[in-house]
Amino acid sequence: GAGVSQSPSNKVTEKGKDVELRCDPISGHTALYWYRQSLGQGLEFLIYFQGNSAPDKSGLPSDRFSAERTGGSVSTLTIQRTQQEDSAVYLCASSLDVYGEQFFGPGTRLTVL
Amino acid sequence: AQSVSQHNHHVILSEAASLELGCNYSYGGTVNLFWYVQYPGQHLQLLLKYFSGDPLVKGIKGFEAEFIKSKFSFNLRKPSVQWSDTAEYFCAVNASKLIFGSGTRLLVRP
């Protein structure tokens, strides 16, 4: 079966624009996670979903960041009014349940000019 | 708050040398522990995991890790590294969410 997929693989945008990143988890995985990987910053947790609800949004850096998940499957991470410091690789992962092994997608490399 | 510390940020070894990467976490409850690896140009993949049972865990490619509860540690080891082990290694702890360490970049010289 297919792994976690993310689109687009690369996104270049201008400061102030909104972007939407998409994640398709492994079929049947109830938990879905978003992380950000910045140079020199390591891996930063953003938000996770159990089904369609997000019990923990504590990692979202600001109110410009939001995420939703529909149908217990696809998730989108939206960044409004992008800033240069938003430039990073955004990773999505999914797991069968919240305590299980997480399978990562290839990431979306976001560059804000 | 939960945290994970990886003390070695950069490690350079020659082939056939032994490897040990340190990982310490702070969380008093039950945890699941992981080591993930990211090879150059590839995405994160699981190397090994500990949920319960034998504290010495065997992973892929000859890696192993030992969970020492009293020391809150989960160090990664490999007796003899290869050039192909060059990668970034992340320790992670999952209590209610996965918390990653800052990563260790390993360079193995042929």
Side-chain angles (χ1 to χ4, degrees):
Chain A
V4 177
S5 61
Q6 292 184 246
S7 60
S9 54
N10 279 285
K11 177 72 177 177
V12 180
T13 190
E14 294 179 347
K15 179 180 171 181
K17 301 277 190 187
D18 298 351
V19 295
E20 200 170 88
L21 312 180
R22 177 187 168 107
C23 172
D24 280 274
I26 293 172
S27 177
H29 281 193
T30 63
L32 185 148
Y33 311 79
W34 284 98
Y35 298 90
R36 181 166 70 173
Q37 188 174 23
S38 307
L39 196 62
Q41 299 292 322
L43 279 158
E44 176 188 9
F45 167 82
L46 298 178
I47 186 172
Y48 89 91
F49 291 88
Q50 176 60 38
N52 291 334
S53 63
D56 190 345
K57 304 179 183 179
S58 62
L60 294 177
S62 75
D63 59 8
R64 295 186 295 105
F65 287 71
S66 63
E68 65 174 13
R69 188 180 186 195
T70 54
S73 181
V74 171
S75 175
T76 53
L77 176 70
T78 302
I79 309 173
Q80 295 178 307
R81 305 181 302 283
T82 52
Q83 304 294 312
Q84 289 183 330
E85 61 262 28
D86 299 334
S87 296
V89 176
Y90 289 82
L91 294 171
C92 176
S94 70
S95 61
L96 278 172
D97 59 55
V98 294
Y99 295 105
E101 173 188 349
Q102 295 185 17
F103 294 82
F104 283 81
T108 294
R109 182 175 295 278
L110 175 66
T111 303
V112 182
L113 301 176
Chain B
Q2 303 156 33
S3 66
V4 179
S5 297
Q6 291 183 243
H7 308 295
N8 314 103
H9 298 295
H10 291 88
V11 173
I12 301 174
L13 295 173
S14 298
E15 276 195 315
S18 64
L19 170 71
E20 180 158 3
L21 301 182
C23 173
N24 288 90
Y25 65 93
S26 66
Y27 184 73
T30 301
V31 293
N32 297 332
L33 298 159
F34 305 82
W35 276 96
Y36 282 85
V37 60
Q38 190 169 28
Y39 296 103
Q42 297 186 27
H43 52 98
L44 277 163
Q45 56 188 283
L46 184 70
L47 200 55
L48 50 77
K49 61 188 177 187
Y50 172 81
F51 283 11
S52 64
D54 188 344
L56 185 62
V57 180
K58 304 279 187 192
I60 60 171
K61 303 185 180 184
F63 285 90
E64 65 179 31
E66 185 175 13
F67 169 52
I68 303 179
K69 189 174 181 179
S70 60
K71 295 184 178 180
F72 297 90
S73 70
F74 190 54
N75 292 354
L76 181 71
R77 300 194 292 248
K78 184 170 183 178
S80 176
V81 294
Q82 301 173 308
W83 174 80
S84 58
D85 294 325
T86 293
E88 189 160 14
Y89 294 81
F90 295 92
C91 181
V93 170
N94 192 345
S96 59
K97 61 189 179 190
L98 200 61
I99 306 294
F100 283 88
S102 55
T104 298
R105 288 185 183 272
L106 172 65
L107 172 64
V108 180
R109 291 181 168 154

